[in-house]
Amino acid sequence: MSEKKIVNTPDAAPPGGPYSHAVVAGDFVYLAGATPHRTDGSVVEGTFLEQARATFDNLSTVAAAAGADLSEAVQARVYLRDLDDFQAMNGVFAEYFGDRAPVRTTIQADLPGFAIEVDAVLYQPAS
């Protein structure tokens, strides 16, 4: 059995605590919760759509750093501060995941100073 591979990248917002951006374990890539933060750690201010795109950009950047992309997602979890943003999130989600969307859970969460967080699990079988 191969060891897990830790992935961190300076091209995405830094983790908000003592955890990795992603972990590759076997055929799966586990992406930590991405938020609307810049690489310097500052939060993206603005509309929900601006925050959502920044969040999905961070998630996509981490996936790429792990040698994967969001089209390989099998599961995503979306945390929204305000469920009134659900429909807008659906539109952005479709932009990033396309017509082969993963399973998804969306819940309301008490997010500290930002509107959305998203994590995902990607499946990347060995060739």
Side-chain angles (χ1 to χ4, degrees):
M1 182 174 167
S2 62
E3 291 187 30
K4 69 181 182 180
K5 175 185 169 192
I6 303 299
V7 177
N8 286 298
T9 177
D11 298 326
Y19 57 87
S20 301
H21 275 134
V23 172
V24 179
D27 293 340
F28 292 92
V29 180
Y30 299 87
L31 304 178
T35 59
H37 287 79
R38 297 179 186 88
T39 56
D40 68 2
S42 64
V43 71
V44 172
E45 300 290 339
T47 67
F48 173 79
L49 288 176
E50 291 168 322
Q51 286 201 13
R53 285 195 175 90
T55 297
F56 285 105
D57 285 346
N58 278 324
L59 196 69
S60 181
T61 297
V62 171
D69 64 64
L70 296 184
S71 70
E72 298 165 313
V74 293
Q75 180 183 36
R77 288 178 291 255
V78 178
Y79 307 90
L80 297 175
R81 185 173 55 206
D82 186 344
L83 289 178
D84 287 342
D85 293 323
F86 186 83
Q87 290 305 321
M89 179 276 299
N90 271 338
V92 177
F93 190 93
E95 290 174 26
Y96 284 83
F97 289 99
D99 61 351
R100 295 189 57 187
V103 299
R104 184 182 83 198
T105 300
T106 304
I107 62 170
Q108 187 171 20
D110 185 16
L111 301 173
F114 49 90
I116 182 172
E117 183 170 356
V118 181
D119 65 39
V121 177
L122 313 179
Y123 178 62
Q124 201 178 42
S127 301

